[in-house]
């Protein structure tokens, strides 16, 4: 190192390349004679840009040396398909932005490769060091784009010797420093300029403006960008350097990065994001002023271009209006033009006056004509390689040139090769023109009189999805079967929802093409993976033969915005409807198929590994190849369907009586069950009865069905349930359907109080009412009047249904039929008592590989084993529309008494969540773990894995005593140890005694066990699930439940233990709540105050259901408490409601019997009297974050985990951080984790000597942030959508967004540091205990909630309904008003909930049974 670090750019790049002892250095040039400073460096390897340089680099890279490549943006784009092969190798690619074209940088956005941008000397010095650090520590490639023209003079290169890491470091673990440089012209600017260009606008920055330079483009987070912007920003204008004017009204790949999180943009009140392209400019001030003016105008132009293009480009006529957001299909056309520039030939270019754009046959015919002429030229050339034919002095050199021109016809030409070939073509044509008097040259010019006859092009046909019909007879078939070197781009613009309405179904062109065996095929989506799209275009053009690229661009109209298209695309790709893949038959068989969409990658990859035959894709994966097996015409299919229907009708003819068709639309299952029961009763009366979903109705056949009965429930805001929407939408839009021959009846299920506000009353039973009116309008004859069931009636909908059904039989003349008694439907009680102690047919269901689900009864039984079967509701509708069953998966919940987990337990859960779950871990509101997304085939291995570290899932759910929850109190080790042991003892005492759990999940050896010792671990565990049956008379071995009996409990039973002054377990919310009484002198636990009868679950507008806080029974010494809990539970077991599960919880039993009566029965059972309650004080019910040291000297850190979701995100890589902490605990043999009832985690038992290491990990992975607002830290949410089957609205995914907005309100009112307890659930079952929040939101319908107010700050008082069925705007409006009053009118130390009650905003709920009293008149 010299005394000065200043050097040229090339010298600096060489210095950084040599920072590692073992290194390789490559650089590219256009030709061999190009001058380069790197040529003088003996270890530098020159690569020609036209000879696929990156492929050679890939062949030479190794993991034990640093590889550096210096190239330009054009060469890198052409090498794009190779980039992925560099993953896992320490490589720095320095890219000179020689054309000043920053728009190429987003081409590489989806490769998971860090991308740095240096536009001046200062940033270069930082980014060069960043590149070295990332490559050497993370052992991965880095792209460093450098604007060399801006780096005038010398640069600083303070390079320090570096070593390659032995193991790669996570990129997220590196501190990349400032990703953005921000300059503001005022304190509260409203416009932000995001500078993605070669120019520095800082000196001319206008007023009210911020300027941001992007220095680190990947990893990218819109959150990171917005975090550095002033909160006052409302408009964002992006200035992007490009070498040519954009031609598609605003679409740019960079735009997708700003749409990464729409909700977050909205939450920041940013209402405009516009990209303006910049060519060569001189007047920076004027350009900047126009950019700012445009983004702030009422109708900003999305396609501004300033300056002059770097190079000339042929103008393209704009066909779309300036009012449109963008010319949608140009999202693809732009990519092709950028890639192939002047070497592109679009046969049916829309600017052509003669090309028939919608006709592939025409375009292909044009190509064949051109190709025929070219073949004649080539044939002539092959006969013309004799210099004597030309009679010129330079004939010999021309013959060599001509031979080279001929050779290009046998090569696969990509863009770089095309350019080189066309130089030869130009020289060939010029020679022929120059010597046109030669006979042979004249013959050439007669066949090809223009330069275009000799050049090489990437030739494309561009078409729409209309080409997807009747493939066997279409021009597409001709193109694909012709084996010519031609490319087809087929843009599919039809949203998936419209496909099912199409009578003539489209064919899967991709699979159709792959079955030819000689066609390159790619399926792409520009709004899903831009890099995959670029790779596909380059590979398609390079392939020497026919290729087809299927491009997805779903839009409902030409005016759709990029946001709308992006949402449609995400749904299609995310559901597996539009898979992203590439098929190259020129590659080895095992490498020919590449699947690029992660949602279905596992399924198809496992298939390919197993079968290795693409032609079987349609057989194994019907969702991947929807229509390949269909014939060229749908008439054959329709004929087959007709025959099947005719056979079915003949079968029905064997029955007497008229036909009776029942159709249902059902969300929760009530309408479906009622329809099936009605159908069975009709069959018993001799009618030819069928029962199907409304989704199966064929409107063409409906007029001939004679008698049709419709049963529908009411969803959302008076909408049809999902399985009836399609039928209703079609029927509603029908004007010429004649139903004069149809007799019909309609019964609707609704709740007259579900929408209690007067303006919402019309939602009640609206589907049934509208259906009845529409059928009458279409001349159908009503058999009987409309029937409407009301959940508010004494017997629910049965009150109206019974008379309606009787009238129906009377009208059909079958009321007097002799019908035997119907068997009573099986209830949960029947299921439990007949389950053979929780076995059911679970084993058989697990073995059934034909479906991802299990029997409905087994779904109830597996809850006792800790498993809930769920499905992904985000893709439910799409999968159903595809004819696929829902994406079933299980939630697996642990029984974790006391919420304590060892590092080994944490690590096994981390591994299982990644391999078998959805990659996250959920900390629950009962201080245990849940894994989501465990499919059936992985369920047993997951449960065995949990048990391998002495955790089990038995009784984590079901009608038993569930997980025992207790206070985390990290500051008091002695008391925590006592209550922890006691909680464990309670859990083991009430654990079901059945051996079914061990028998189903743990018995024997399983070849998927991580360790062969697992079976011995299970067998040698002293506690936990019972392994052996009980011996009874006659030496028979049987299961025996001494406490529960064979039918277990009527409903779930929960025990919470708190330690005053903390109530972090919401002690009043559970069936039994224990308040720990501690001797202040000795810190010994003497006993507990017992509260009985708490419970949270309710049903919307069912006044028979309500939340309840526990009633005080009194104090008991510790030794008597378990017996007393048993007494409470046994009395509930024998007296709880086993008929109505909505009335089965202990809270209703205790209110029905009376508190005093129930208490006396418990005392009678235990033989002990409750003593008067001991005094105690509760101050709050939330967690305290940060570090504390207990009296033994051990340290504990409570970490904030928002809504309990342990996951890795760009902003918060917390899952990895907690894994690192668990590994550190394991290394030192000390420390553990505690979960809290508020969904957070305590890193516990850390010794002083390990404290610094733990703190570094906490900081590195952003786990040490305790600066969140009290509102956020004291909030809680249930899981909600997409996995919970009960959720009516979003909760966990939506709550952080809502909290952001409320924090802004509190900030403006000076209340940001004031504590408010706020909770949300997606339904009224109350998993996050929302009824105890000062503010509670209860999901009622999509984006609609009941707003609850007035809960007690420390969980002592239930809240009450303030407004029903409100959306976000109204929620924020109400809370803003009330927060403002609180800030101005509250008394000293008065909490929000208490304030609302004192000033009369809401009445207090003094007892659970009065929960529905005194609600505001607006909800009456």
């Amino acid at each position: 190192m010299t005394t000065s670090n200043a050097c040229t750019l090339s010298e600096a790049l060489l210095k950084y390349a040599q920072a590692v002892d073992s290194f390789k250095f490559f650089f590219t040039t256009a030709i061999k004679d190009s001058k380069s400073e790197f040529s003088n460096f003996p270890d530098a390897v020159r690569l020609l840009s036209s000879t696929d340089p990156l492929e050679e680099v890939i062949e030479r890279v190794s993991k034990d040396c640093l590889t550096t490549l210096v190239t330009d943006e054009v060469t890198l784009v052409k090498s794009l398909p190779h980039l992925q092969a560099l993953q896992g190798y320490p490589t720095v690619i320095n890219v000179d932005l020689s054309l000043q074209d920053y728009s190429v940088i987003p081409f590489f956005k989806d490769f998971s490769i860090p991308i740095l941008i240096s536009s001046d000397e200062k940033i270069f010095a930082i980014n060069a060091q960043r590149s070295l650090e990332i490559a050497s520590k993370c052992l991965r490639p880095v792209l460093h784009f450098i604007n060399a023209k801006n780096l005038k003079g010398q640069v600083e290169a303070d390079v320090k010797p570096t070593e390659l890491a032995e193991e790669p470091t996570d990129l997220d673990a590196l501190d990349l420093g400032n990703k953005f440089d921000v300059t503001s012209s005022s304190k509260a600017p409203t416009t932000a300029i995001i500078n993605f260009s070669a120019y520095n606008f800082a000196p001319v920055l206008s007023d009210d403006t911020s300027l941001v330079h992007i220095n680190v483009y990947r990893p990218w987070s819109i959150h990171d960008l917005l975090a550095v912007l002033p909160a006052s920003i409302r408009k964002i204008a992006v200035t992007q350097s490009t070498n040519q004017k954009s031609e598609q009204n605003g679409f740019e790949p960079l735009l997708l990065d700003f749409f990464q999180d729409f909700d977050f943009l909205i939450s920041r009140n940013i209402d405009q994001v516009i990209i303006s392209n910049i060519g060569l400019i001189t007047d920076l001030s004027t350009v900047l002023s126009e950019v700012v003016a445009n983004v702030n105008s009422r109708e900003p132009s999305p396609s501004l271009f300033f300056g002059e293009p770097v190079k000339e480009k042929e103008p393209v006529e704009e066909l779309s209006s300036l009012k449109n957001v963008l010319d949608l299909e140009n999202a693809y056309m732009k990519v092709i033009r950028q890639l192939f520039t002047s070497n592109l030939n679009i046969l049916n270019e829309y600017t052509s006056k003669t090309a028939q754009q919608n006709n592939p046959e025409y375009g292909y015919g044009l190509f064949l004509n051109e190709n025929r002429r070219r073949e004649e030229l080539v044939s002539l050339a092959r006969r013309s390689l004799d210099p004597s034919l030309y009679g010129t002095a330079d004939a010999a050199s021309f013959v060599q040139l001509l031979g080279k021109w001929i050779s290009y016809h046998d090569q696969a030409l990509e863009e770089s090769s095309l350019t080189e070939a066309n130089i030869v073509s130009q020289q060939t044509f010029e020679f022929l023109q120059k010597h046109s008097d030669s006979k042979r040259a004249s013959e050439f010019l007669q066949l090809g009189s223009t330069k275009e006859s000799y050049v090489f092009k990437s030739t494309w046909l561009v078409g729409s999805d209309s080409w997807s019909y009747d493939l066997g007879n279409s021009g597409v078939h001709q193109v694909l079967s012709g084996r010519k070197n031609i490319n087809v781009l087929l843009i599919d613009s039809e949203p998936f929802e419209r496909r099912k309405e199409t009578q003539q179904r489209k064919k899967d062109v991709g699979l159709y093409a792959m079955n030819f065996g000689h066609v390159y095929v790619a399926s792409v989506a520009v709004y899903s993976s831009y890099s995959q799209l670029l790779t596909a275009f380059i590979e398609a053009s390079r392939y020497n033969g026919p290729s087809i690229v299927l491009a997805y661009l779903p839009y409902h109209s030409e005016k759709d915005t990029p946001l709308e298209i992006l949402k449609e695309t995400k749904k299609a790709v995310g559901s597996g409807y539009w898979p992203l893949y590439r098929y190259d038959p020129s590659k080895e068989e095992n490498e020919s198929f590449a699947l690029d969409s992660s949602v279905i990658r596992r399924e198809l990859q496992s298939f390919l590994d197993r079968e290795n035959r693409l032609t079987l894709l349609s057989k194994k994966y019907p969702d991947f190849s929807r229509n390949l097996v269909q014939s060229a015409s749908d008439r054959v299919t329709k004929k087959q369907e007709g025959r099947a229907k005719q056979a079915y009708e003949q079968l029905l003819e064997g029955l007497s009586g008229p036909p009776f068709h029942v159709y249902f639309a059902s969300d929760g299952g009530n309408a479906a069950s009622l329809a099936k029961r009605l159908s069975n009763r009709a069959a018993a009366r001799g009618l030819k009865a069928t029962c199907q979903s409304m989704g199966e109705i064929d409107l063409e056949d409906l007029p001939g069905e004679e008698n049709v009965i419709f049963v529908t429930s009411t969803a959302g805001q008076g909408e049809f349930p999902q399985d009836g929407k399609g039928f209703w939408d079609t029927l509603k839009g029908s004007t010429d359907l004649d139903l004069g021959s149809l007799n019909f009846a309609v019964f609707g299920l609704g709740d007259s109080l579900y929408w209690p506000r007067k303006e919402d009353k019309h939602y009640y039973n609206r589907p049934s009412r509208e259906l009845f009116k529409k059928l009458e309008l279409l001349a159908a004859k009503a058999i009987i009047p409309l029937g409407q069931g009301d959940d508010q009636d004494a017997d629910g909908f049965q009150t109206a249904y019974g008379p309606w059904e009787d009238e129906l039989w009377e009208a059909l003349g079958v009321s007097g039929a002799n019908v035997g008694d119907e068997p009573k439907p099986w209830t949960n009680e029947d299921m439990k008592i007949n389950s053979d102690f929780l076995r059911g047919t679970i084993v058989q269901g697990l073995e059934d590989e034909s479906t991802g689900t299990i029997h409905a009864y087994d779904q109830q039984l597996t809850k006792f084993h800790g498993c809930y079967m769920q499905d992904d509701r985000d893709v439910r509708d799409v999968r159903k529309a595809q004819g696929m069953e829902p994406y079933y998966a299980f939630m697996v919940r642990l029984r974790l008494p006391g919420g304590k987990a060892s590092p080994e337990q944490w690590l096994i859960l981390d591994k299982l969540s990644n391999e078998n779950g959805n990659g996250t871990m959920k900390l629950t509101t009962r201080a245990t773990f849940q894994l989501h997304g465990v499919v059936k085939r992985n369920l047993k291995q997951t449960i065995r894995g949990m048990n391998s570290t002495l955790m089990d899932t038995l009784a984590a759910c079901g009608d038993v005593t569930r997980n025992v929850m207790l206070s985390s109190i990290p500051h008091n080790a002695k008391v925590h140890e006592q209550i922890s042991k006691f909680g464990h003892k309670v859990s083991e005492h009430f654990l079901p005694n059945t051996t079914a759990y061990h028998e189903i999940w743990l018995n024997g050896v399983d070849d998927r066990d991580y360790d062969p010792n697992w079976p011995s671990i299970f067998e040698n565990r002293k506690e936990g699930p019972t392994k052996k049956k009980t011996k009874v008379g006659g030496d028979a071995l049987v299961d025996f439940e001494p406490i529960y009996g064979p039918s277990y409990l009527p409903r779930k039973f929960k025990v919470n233990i708190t330690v005053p002054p903390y109530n972090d377990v919401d002690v009043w919310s559970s069936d039994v709540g224990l308040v720990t009484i501690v001797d202040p002198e000795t810190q010994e636990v003497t006993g507990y105050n017992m509260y009985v009868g708490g419970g949270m679950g309710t049903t919307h507008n069912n006044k028979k259901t309500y939340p309840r806080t526990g009633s005080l029974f009194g104090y008991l010494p510790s030794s008597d408490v378990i017996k007393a809990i048993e007494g409470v539970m046994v009395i509930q077991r024998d007296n709880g409601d086993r008929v109505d599960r909505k009335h089965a919880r202990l809270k209703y039993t205790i209110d029905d019997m009376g508190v005093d009566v129930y208490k006396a029965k418990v005392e009678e059972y235990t033989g002990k009297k409750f003593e008067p309650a001991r005094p105690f004080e509760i101050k709050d019910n939330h967690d305290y974050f940060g570090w504390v040291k207990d009296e033994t000297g051990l340290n504990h850190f409570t970490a904030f985990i928002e809504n309990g979701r342990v996951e890795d995100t760009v902003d918060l890589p917390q899952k990895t951080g907690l894994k690192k902490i668990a590994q550190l605990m394991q290394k030192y043999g000390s420390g553990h984790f505690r979960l809290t009832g508020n969904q957070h985690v305590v890193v516990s038992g850390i010794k002083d000597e390990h404290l610094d290491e733990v703190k570094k990990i906490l900081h590195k992975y952003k786990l040490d942030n305790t600066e969140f607002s009290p509102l956020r830290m004291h909030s809680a949410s249930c899981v909600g959508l997409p996995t919970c089957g009960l959720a009516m609205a979003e909760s966990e995914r939506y709550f952080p967004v809502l909290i952001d907005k409320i924090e802004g309100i509190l900030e403006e009112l000076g209340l940001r540091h004031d504590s408010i307890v706020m909770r949300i659930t997606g339904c009224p079952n109350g998993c996050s205990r929302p009824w105890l929040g000062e503010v509670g939101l209860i999901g009622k319908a999509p984006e609609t909630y009941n707003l609850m107010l007035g809960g007690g700050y420390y969980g002592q008082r239930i809240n009450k309904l303030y407004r029903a069925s409100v959306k976000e705007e109204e929620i924020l409006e109400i809370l803003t008003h009330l927060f403002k009053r609180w800030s101005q009118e509250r008394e000293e130390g008065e909490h929000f909930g208490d304030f609302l009650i004192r000033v009369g905003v809401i009445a207090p709920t003094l007892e659970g049974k009065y929960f529905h009293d005194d609600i505001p008149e607006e909800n009456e």
Side-chain angles (χ1 to χ4, degrees), residues 1228 1247-1253:
Y1228 292 122
K1247 296 179 180 179
D1248 284 346
E1249 57 264 37
H1250 307 146
L1251 198 56
D1252 287 343
E1253 287 184 80

Side-chain angles (χ1 to χ4, degrees), residues 343-407:
N343 299 321
L344 176 66
N345 177 26
I346 299 179
L347 294 169
N348 53 345
E349 175 68 81
Y350 59 74
T351 56
S352 169
K353 296 180 179 179
T354 59
Q356 301 175 36
Q357 183 180 2
N358 294 322
N359 191 333
E361 293 92 335
Y362 178 88
Y364 187 54
L366 180 63
F367 167 78
L368 290 177
N369 183 57
E370 293 177 351
N371 192 65
R372 179 184 57 78
R373 290 177 176 273
R374 174 58 66 93
E375 288 176 349
E376 291 177 355
L377 271 176
V378 172
S379 177
L380 176 62
R382 294 185 190 280
R383 301 192 308 270
S384 305
L385 295 176
D386 182 352
S388 64
L389 296 173
Y390 304 95
T392 64
D394 55 354
S397 60
F398 172 71
V399 167
Q400 290 183 347
L401 188 69
L402 188 61
K404 197 170 185 179
W405 180 79
I406 294 171
S407 69

